[in-house]
C-alpha cells in the first residue's frame, strides 16, 4: 500500500508524483501507455514542430526582401514527418521521465493498460495486478471529443495528423478553438487549401472579441475561408477519387440553408473530453460530469481521499495548468492542506500566423465602469517595421480605480512572449504607471507594452504635467516609436 498512487504519466501525473515524493510520501505512478502524455507524444510537441516548419516557410518568403537570393524553398512532407517523430524522441531522451521518477524512488508501471478502480482505495491494471494507496490522484488527461454522424469515421483527429502519409491538398477543419485555429493556419502556410468551420459566432469564442476579429482578418488575408455560426455537421461522404486520393464532401447547414464543402481531409477539432471511461469511477464514488471529473478548487473529487489534476478535470486544458494542478493536488493529498487554484493568471495562446496570446480578463468580462483599455497596432513598433511584421495589435486592460493590470490580448509577432510579461506584472500586482516607466529593451516586440501602458496613463491623467498646464489639454504622446493617429482607447 502506497501513500499516494498517481494515475497517468503526462504533465499533471508526473508533477503530482514528484511533488508527493518530495513531500516524503511513498508513491507509485501508473501509465497505460507511454509516459509523457498528450503533451509530449501527440499534442503540443508535434504541433510545435509543424508550427516551426510553417514559421520557416514564412521567413523564407521574406528572403528576397532582405537580399537573400536562391530557389524558393518548399515543404518536403516526409522529412517533416520524420523530424516530428525525432523531436518527440529527443524530448523523451532529454526528459528521461522514467529514470527521473525512479531516481526519486517512485514505483512506475508503464504500458500497464487502463487502470480501473476495484474499490475506493484499489485500482487494477491490465496484467491483473492490484495497486492500493491511501490517497489517489487521477491525472488521466483527455482525448478528442469525436463527433458522431454518418461518415464521421472518415475524419481525422488533430492527434492523428502526425501519422499522415501525405499532406492533403485541401482540408476542412471543424472547430475554431485553439487547436483548430493552429492547424488551419499551419496547413494554410504549407500550401493546403483550408476552410475553417465553427458553430459559434466567431473563431476563438472564449477569447477577447478583438483577438477573434484580428485572427479572422489575418486568415482571410491568407486565403483561409472561415465560416462561423454554422449548424452541426450532418454527414460526410466520399464522392470520388483524384490521383488515388479520396475526395470528401462535408454537409452542414448555414442559417436555414444546406451547405457543403469538398476536401481531401476533414480534421475534427471540436473539443476535448476527460479520459474517464475506463476508470470505473463508480467503484470509488467519484463523480464525473459532462465527461470530466468534478473537483473543487482544492482539486478534491467527490471522494475525499481522491484528487484529480490536469485535463481530466476539464478546467484549463493547458500544460502549464496541468502541472500546477498536479503540484497542488499532491500537496493537498499529502499534507492535508487546502491549497486552491483558481487559474486567475494563465498566459496562453496559439502558434497561428500571426500568433495570438492572452492573459487575464477580456474586455467583455471587465467591469465597464472601472476598466480602461488601449489598443496599439504593431505598426507603431520600430521592431515590427524592421522585421517586416507590422500586422497585429496589443490590447491592454487596466483598472481605473487601482491602476492594476487586468489583462492583455495580443495578435502579432511573438504574442505569447509579450503576454507573459503582463502575467508576471499581474502576479506582482504591478500598476500601469510602473509598466509605463519600465525601460523595456529597444527594439523589441515586448516594447509594445510600454506604448500601451503610456497611452493608458495619458488617458487616466497619470502623466505628470507642468503645474500651469494641468487640465488645459489632453497630454501629447511623448513616444520615440511614434506613428500618428493610430492608437485607440476605450
Ligand atoms: C494537438 C494538441 C496541441 C496542444 N498544444 C498545446 C500547447 O501548445 N500548449 C498547451 O499548454 N497545451 C497544449 N495542448 C493541451 C495539452 O496537451 C494538455 O493540456 C496536457 O497534455 C494535459 O496534461 P495531463 O497530464 O492532464 O494529460 P495528458 O498529457 O493527456 O496525460 C494523461 C496520461 O494519462 C494516461 N491515462 C489515461 N487514462 C489512464 C488510465 N485509466 N490508466 C493509466 N493511464 C491512463 C494517458 O495515457 C496519458 O499518458 C495541446 C493538445 C493537443 C491535442
Amino acid at each position: 500500500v502506497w501513500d499516494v498512487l498517481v494515475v497517468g504519466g503526462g504533465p499533471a501525473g508526473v508533477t503530482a508524483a514528484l511533488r508527493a515524493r518530495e513531500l516524503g510520501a511513498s508513491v507509485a505512478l501508473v501509465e497505460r501507455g507511454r509516459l509523457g502524455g498528450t503533451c509530449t507524444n501527440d499534442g503540443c510537441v508535434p504541433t510545435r514542430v509543424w508550427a516551426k516548419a510553417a514559421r520557416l516557410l514564412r521567413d523564407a518568403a521574406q528572403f528576397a526582401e532582405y537580399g537573400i537570393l536562391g530557389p524558393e524553398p518548399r515543404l518536403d512532407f516526409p522529412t517533416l514527418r520524420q523530424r516530428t517523430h525525432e523531436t518527440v524522441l529527443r524530448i523523451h531522451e532529454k526528459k528521461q521521465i522514467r529514470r527521473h521518477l525512479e531516481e526519486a524512488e517512485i514505483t512506475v508501471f508503464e504500458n500497464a493498460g487502463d487502470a480501473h478502480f476495484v474499490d475506493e482505495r484499489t485500482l487494477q491494471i491490465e496484467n491483473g495486478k492490484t495497486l492500493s494507496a491511501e490517497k489517489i490522484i487521477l491525472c488521466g488527461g483527455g482525448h478528442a471529443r469525436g463527433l458522431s454522424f454518418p461518415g464521421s469515421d472518415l475524419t481525422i483527429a488533430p492527434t492523428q495528423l502526425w501519422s499522415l502519409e501525405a499532406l492533403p491538398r485541401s482540408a476542412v477543419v471543424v472547430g475554431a478553438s485553439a487547436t483548430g485555429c493552429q492547424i488551419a493556419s499551419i496547413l494554410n502556410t504549407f500550401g493546403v487549401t483550408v476552410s475553417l468551420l465553427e458553430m459559434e459566432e466567431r473563431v476563438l469564442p472564449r477569447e477577447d472579441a478583438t483577438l477573434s476579429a484580428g485572427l479572422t482578418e489575418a486568415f482571410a488575408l491568407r486565403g483561409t475561408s472561415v465560416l462561423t455560426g454554422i449548424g452541426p455537421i450532418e454527414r460526410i461522404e466520399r464522392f470520388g477519387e483524384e490521383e488515388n486520393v479520396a475526395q470528401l464532401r462535408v454537409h452542414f447547414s448555414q442559417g436555414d440553408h444546406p451547405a457543403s464543402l469538398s476536401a481531401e481531409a476533414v480534421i475534427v477539432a471540436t473539443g476535448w473530453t476527460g479520459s474517464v471511461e475506463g476508470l470505473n469511477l463508480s467503484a470509488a464514488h467519484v463523480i464525473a460530469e459532462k465527461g470530466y471529473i468534478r473537483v473543487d478548487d482544492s482539486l478534491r473529487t467527490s471522494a475525499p481521499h481522491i484528487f484529480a489534476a490536469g485535463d481530466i478535470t476539464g478546467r484549463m486544458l493547458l500544460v502549464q495548468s496541468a502541472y500546477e494542478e498536479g503540484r497542488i493536488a499532491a500537496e493537498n493529498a499529502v499534507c492535508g492542506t487546502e491549497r486552491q487554484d483558481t487559474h486567475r493568471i494563465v498566459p496562453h495562446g496559439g502558434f497561428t500566423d500571426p500568433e495570438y496570446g492572452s492573459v487575464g480578463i477580456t474586455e467583455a468580462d471587465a467591469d465597464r465602469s472601472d476598466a480602461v483599455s488601449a489598443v496599439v497596432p504593431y505598426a507603431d513598433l520600430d521592431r515590427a517595421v524592421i522585421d517586416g511584421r507590422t500586422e497585429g495589435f496589443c490590447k491592454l486592460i487596466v483598472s481605473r480605480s487601482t491602476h492594476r493590470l487586468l489583462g492583455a490580448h495580443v495578435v502579432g509577432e511573438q504574442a505569447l512572449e509579450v503576454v507573459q510579461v503582463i502575467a508576471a506584472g499581474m502576479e506582482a500586482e504591478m500598476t500601469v504607471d510602473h509598466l509605463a516607466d519600465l525601460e523595456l529593451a529597444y527594439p523589441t516586440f515586448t516594447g509594445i507594452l510600454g506604448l500601451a501602458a503610456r497611452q493608458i496613463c495619458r488617458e487616466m491623467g497619470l502623466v505628470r504635467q507642468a503645474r500651469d498646464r494641468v487640465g488645459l489639454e489632453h497630454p501629447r504622446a511623448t513616444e520615440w516609436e511614434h506613428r500618428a493617429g493610430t492608437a485607440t482607447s476605450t
Side-chain angles (χ1 to χ4, degrees):
V1 178
W2 284 276
D3 295 332
V4 175
L5 172 62
V6 176
V7 180
V14 170
T15 315
L18 289 167
R19 182 71 183 124
R21 185 72 198 107
E22 190 176 38
L23 291 166
S26 62
V27 181
L29 180 144
V30 54
E31 163 56 53
R32 68 174 167 205
R34 185 186 191 190
L35 289 164
T38 306
C39 173
T40 305
N41 298 321
D42 47 18
C44 326
V45 172
T47 308
R48 200 35 243 170
V49 176
W50 282 34
K52 169 74 178 175
R55 171 82 230 190
L56 290 172
L57 282 171
R58 292 203 294 279
D59 286 346
Q62 287 188 303
F63 280 1
E65 292 167 27
Y66 289 78
I68 302 163
L69 303 177
E72 193 184 328
R74 57 176 184 83
L75 179 69
D76 179 53
F77 188 67
T79 307
L80 174 63
R81 229 176 72 122
Q82 196 184 334
R83 175 78 189 187
T84 309
H85 294 304
E86 278 171 13
T87 308
V88 171
L89 280 179
R90 263 184 228 154
I91 296 278
H92 274 289
E93 271 165 24
K94 177 194 80 92
K95 283 186 169 340
Q96 297 283 330
I97 302 176
R98 181 158 191 149
R99 205 173 77 191
H100 191 33
L101 290 165
E102 287 180 343
E103 278 175 3
E105 296 170 346
I106 293 166
T107 309
V108 180
F109 300 91
E110 198 177 354
N111 295 310
D114 269 328
H116 60 275
F117 282 100
V118 289
D119 65 46
E120 49 190 35
R121 286 199 158 72
T122 311
L123 286 108
Q124 189 172 41
I125 54 176
E126 207 169 58
N127 64 8
K129 194 173 170 56
T130 54
L131 316 171
S132 299
E134 293 300 324
K135 302 279 171 56
I136 294 162
I137 308 178
L138 300 173
C139 305
H143 54 83
R145 193 198 299 271
L147 296 177
S148 178
F149 49 75
S152 54
D153 55 317
L154 298 170
T155 64
I156 304 169
T159 47
Q160 294 170 324
L161 282 173
W162 336 119
S163 338
L164 286 182
E165 289 293 326
L167 204 57
R169 277 168 296 200
S170 54
V172 171
V173 179
V174 184
S177 290
T179 300
C181 283
Q182 290 186 96
I183 290 168
S185 173
I186 291 168
L187 290 180
N188 171 277
T189 308
F190 288 173
V192 178
T193 304
V194 181
S195 304
L196 179 62
L197 305 185
E198 169 58 50
M199 284 174 71
E200 306 239 9
E201 290 307 317
R202 55 188 175 96
V203 305
L204 300 173
R206 272 161 287 287
E207 299 291 352
D208 191 275
T210 48
L211 214 147
S212 303
L215 212 59
T216 304
E217 201 181 310
F219 281 166
L221 272 173
R222 289 157 180 76
T224 293
S225 83
V226 179
L227 289 182
T228 55
I230 66 155
I233 303 297
E234 285 157 11
R235 66 182 201 282
I236 297 179
E237 67 199 5
R238 275 172 99 121
F239 68 93
E241 262 188 23
E242 251 177 51
E243 295 170 31
N244 289 333
V245 181
Q247 304 295 304
L248 306 176
R249 187 167 290 132
V250 188
H251 294 269
F252 55 97
S253 59
Q254 185 146 48
D256 296 333
H257 307 288
S260 69
L261 284 169
S262 308
E264 289 185 355
V266 180
I267 300 151
V268 175
T270 47
W272 205 238
T273 183
S275 291
V276 295
E277 309 85 358
L279 282 166
N280 190 28
L281 292 174
S282 57
H285 310 291
V286 172
I287 295 174
E289 278 171 353
K290 296 181 184 163
Y292 293 107
I293 291 182
R294 192 174 80 190
V295 288
D296 60 19
D297 284 347
S298 313
L299 302 171
R300 198 183 291 273
T301 69
S302 45
H305 66 292
I306 302 178
F307 295 77
D311 278 14
I312 202 165
T313 68
R315 284 156 58 99
M316 294 305 290
L317 310 180
L318 291 167
V319 171
Q320 60 271 39
S321 304
Y323 55 68
E324 181 61 6
E325 287 192 357
R327 259 196 296 268
I328 289 175
E331 287 172 24
N332 291 344
V334 175
C335 307
T337 44
E338 291 292 330
R339 235 190 103 190
Q340 306 213 329
D341 192 2
T342 51
H343 300 296
R344 195 175 60 87
I345 303 169
V346 186
H348 63 276
F351 302 103
T352 44
D353 173 24
E355 278 185 20
Y356 72 91
S358 179
V359 64
I361 60 169
T362 64
E363 194 148 15
D365 289 338
D367 171 359
R368 277 177 172 269
S369 60
D370 186 48
V372 48
S373 71
V375 180
V376 177
Y378 261 55
D380 280 12
L381 273 185
D382 289 1
R383 173 61 186 274
V385 175
I386 294 163
D387 281 21
R389 302 269 182 217
T390 51
E391 188 179 19
F393 59 84
C394 165
K395 176 193 264 192
L396 181 66
I397 307 175
V398 309
S399 160
R400 198 178 285 280
S401 53
T402 65
H403 301 180
R404 294 240 176 93
L405 310 176
L406 299 176
H409 310 281
V410 180
V411 173
E413 196 74 352
Q414 294 184 20
L416 277 126
E417 309 293 336
V418 173
V419 298
Q420 308 255 53
V421 176
I422 294 298
M426 286 173 70
E427 187 60 46
E429 304 193 337
M430 189 182 212
T431 56
V432 66
D433 36 322
H434 281 138
L435 179 59
D437 286 346
L438 196 60
E439 294 173 42
L440 291 165
Y442 173 89
T444 59
F445 288 100
T446 314
I448 202 159
L449 296 173
L451 293 182
R454 287 189 289 277
Q455 190 180 316
I456 290 179
C457 284
R458 287 192 293 278
E459 285 294 315
M460 289 170 51
L462 299 177
V463 178
R464 280 181 297 279
Q465 293 288 306
R467 209 173 302 148
D468 58 348
R469 306 283 310 158
V470 172
L472 284 186
E473 61 182 36
H474 196 68
R476 288 169 197 282
T478 318
E479 294 294 353
W480 171 242
E481 304 198 54
H482 185 59
R483 194 173 75 122
T486 50
T488 54
S489 290
T490 51

